[in-house]
Amino acid sequence: MTTDNPHDGDDLIDLDAAVDHVRTLRTELLPALETERVSLDELAGRTLAEPIHAPVDVPAHSHATMDGFAFDATDEYPLAVVDDPVCPEDEPPALESGTAIRIATGAPLPPSANAVLKREEATVDDGQLTGTAIEPGTYVYQRGSNVSEGEKLFDAGERLGAKDALLLGDLGIDDVAVRERISVGLLATGTEIHEGRHRDLDSPMLAGLVRSWGHEATYEGSVPDENDRVESRIDELARKHDVVVTTGGTSVGDKDYVIRTLDALGDVLFHRVRLRPGKPIGVARLPDHDAVAVAVPGKPVGAYLVTALVARPFFTGDASLPTVSARMAHDVGIGTAGFTYAIPVTLEDGTATGLGHVDSPLPIYEETFDPSVLSSSTRASRADGFVLTTNGVAADEPVDVVPATALER
């Protein structure tokens, strides 16, 4: 029996529009998540709950960046060298006009000093210093030149990385307020998977993506292609998790119940994106559950690509796609205009070879890219990256390759 589907495949949207939708969902979801404080060694991948302003100037004192002599560079040589050199652990002494003091790299400058003459350019004769003429600021890491007190450094909603511990630690901050990790329930649909006739390839991959983006993923099993059971299980998981990610059942066939279920439970924001492979993805807001649903197609490589390209900005807040430059090894044509094509490639010595082209270890197409077969070909997961294009690509043409690693962080 055919069940009417309000999302019958005529409502495709561009990839950029899909990303805009999920970033809006992220903005709506974040304030609803609880906050917790984490130490600097635990902040990588976490999302800030509140902005951070610098509590102090950094550095708090001007420091020498060379071993040498500190003095006021507006004074003229010769300068009298005072006793007791300044080391990094010292409190610098007052320095009178016309005098200089030995100073070590990292040591704080005396208040009246504004430059350092490096040791190799200095001559001391009978306690008198002469040397190269220098300007104020020479070899000085000046107070507040790194960060000024009160300066806004991080925005609420920003996703932190390991490197951010450097600046925060330099500010004297030991922990930060972050949003709790998003809780994600993974549900596989399909009678063939539920009955064990086909292996569920997608769920472990999706769990890995979610975790690489800094959130919690729980495998919640499978359901057969039965409308009431699909709806009941999604309804249950949406009450338990912030996000439900399903696989399979996203097309427009008689037994593709997922999009119909999401339409019944909430508001389907879009169904099907102009992306090949991976086109039949759906994203819905489930307001009665305070949850979001992402319905991913079942073909494994398509599932990976569309999740990485569409859902990643929801989980990370980052829609940027870093690229490396290469030249295409061969012609790759496209079959249908109006889509973004994600062509898996291997990279070697600046050359990108389509993994799927007849000249690759996975011979699927010769002249025209075949997203349908390739979407199911798990060997394509060995690609080093993906060329995103709306047009065919000619042999030796420069291309921008999105590294696969960039999609998983």
Side-chain angles (χ1 to χ4, degrees):
M1 181 180 71
T2 300
T3 304
D4 290 338
N5 188 342
H7 299 272
D8 59 5
D10 293 331
D11 50 355
L12 279 79
I13 66 171
D14 291 337
L15 180 59
D16 287 346
V19 168
D20 287 343
H21 274 297
V22 301
R23 295 186 78 179
T24 297
L25 282 179
R26 173 182 171 83
T27 301
E28 295 172 356
L29 175 67
L30 284 181
L33 298 175
E34 297 293 330
T35 64
E36 60 181 338
R37 300 199 72 86
V38 296
S39 57
L40 300 190
D41 62 336
E42 297 177 321
L43 59 72
R46 302 304 299 271
T47 300
L48 272 178
E50 55 192 32
I52 296 177
H53 295 79
V56 293
D57 285 338
V58 176
H61 302 281
S62 295
H63 291 77
T65 62
M66 283 283 183
D67 291 342
F69 296 85
F71 52 86
D72 182 347
T74 63
D75 287 345
E76 295 183 357
Y77 295 124
L79 303 169
V81 178
V82 302
D83 294 332
D84 299 328
V86 186
C87 295
E89 66 273 17
D90 294 336
E91 184 71 26
L95 194 63
E96 295 181 1
S97 177
T99 63
I101 191 168
R102 293 182 187 273
I103 195 165
T105 299
L109 263 68
S112 60
N114 58 24
V116 172
L117 176 69
K118 64 180 180 179
R119 186 172 55 190
E120 296 90 330
E121 297 178 357
T123 300
V124 178
D125 187 10
D126 196 23
Q128 298 293 305
L129 172 70
T130 58
T132 306
I134 58 176
E135 298 292 327
T138 301
Y139 297 125
V140 174
Y141 184 22
Q142 294 182 345
R143 174 179 177 172
S145 60
N146 186 31
V147 175
S148 297
E149 182 179 354
E151 183 180 355
K152 185 178 181 181
L153 299 173
F154 297 88
D155 289 316
E158 187 171 343
R159 185 169 179 251
L160 298 174
K163 65 181 175 57
D164 293 318
L166 296 172
L167 177 54
L168 292 168
D170 205 15
L171 292 167
I173 294 172
D174 296 320
D175 54 55
V176 293
V178 297
R179 295 293 178 184
E180 288 188 343
R181 300 180 191 275
I182 296 172
S183 167
V184 180
L186 301 170
L187 177 68
T189 74
T191 301
E192 73 284 3
I193 290 175
H194 188 68
E195 294 181 352
R197 295 197 301 273
H198 287 182
R199 187 184 181 108
D200 176 11
L201 299 176
D202 295 336
S203 294
M205 175 272 294
L206 292 170
L209 279 180
V210 169
R211 290 168 187 152
S212 74
W213 296 330
H215 302 286
E216 297 174 348
T218 303
Y219 178 58
E220 295 286 4
S222 62
V223 289
D225 293 316
E226 298 174 12
N227 191 25
D228 57 342
R229 294 185 65 177
V230 170
E231 182 170 339
S232 173
R233 192 68 176 123
I234 291 177
D235 175 72
E236 179 183 355
L237 294 180
R239 299 182 188 282
K240 179 179 177 182
H241 296 283
D242 301 311
V243 179
V244 179
V245 176
T246 65
T247 53
T250 64
S251 192
V252 293
D254 290 350
K255 291 189 175 182
D256 291 317
Y257 295 115
V258 173
I259 301 301
R260 302 168 196 171
T261 288
L262 298 184
D263 194 66
L265 295 177
D267 177 22
V268 176
L269 301 181
F270 60 86
H271 173 217
R272 303 206 322 168
V273 173
R274 294 186 180 277
L275 173 71
R276 289 184 164 177
K279 174 177 61 177
I281 186 175
V283 172
R285 182 190 290 109
L286 307 179
D288 291 344
H289 303 71
D290 293 325
V292 169
V294 180
V296 178
K299 293 182 178 180
V301 174
Y304 173 84
L305 277 167
V306 77
T307 304
L309 292 172
V310 174
R312 172 176 163 264
F314 170 80
F315 288 102
T316 68
D318 183 10
S320 66
L321 293 172
T323 61
V324 296
S325 298
R327 290 189 174 273
M328 205 68 186
H330 42 243
D331 294 342
V332 178
I334 61 171
T336 306
F339 286 82
T340 296
Y341 287 81
I343 303 172
V345 297
T346 57
L347 287 172
E348 186 174 0
D349 297 330
T351 299
T353 300
L355 188 52
H357 190 270
V358 291
D359 293 336
S360 78
L362 180 63
I364 294 176
Y365 62 90
E366 184 172 2
E367 297 178 353
T368 303
F369 183 63
D370 187 343
S372 179
V373 174
L374 191 131
S375 188
S376 299
S377 303
T378 53
R379 184 161 183 168
S381 66
R382 295 296 295 155
D384 296 314
F386 303 89
V387 174
L388 300 181
T389 182
T390 56
N391 303 296
V393 183
D396 205 39
E397 179 179 340
V399 290
D400 293 325
V401 180
V402 179
T405 52
L407 298 175
E408 299 185 17
R409 60 173 184 260

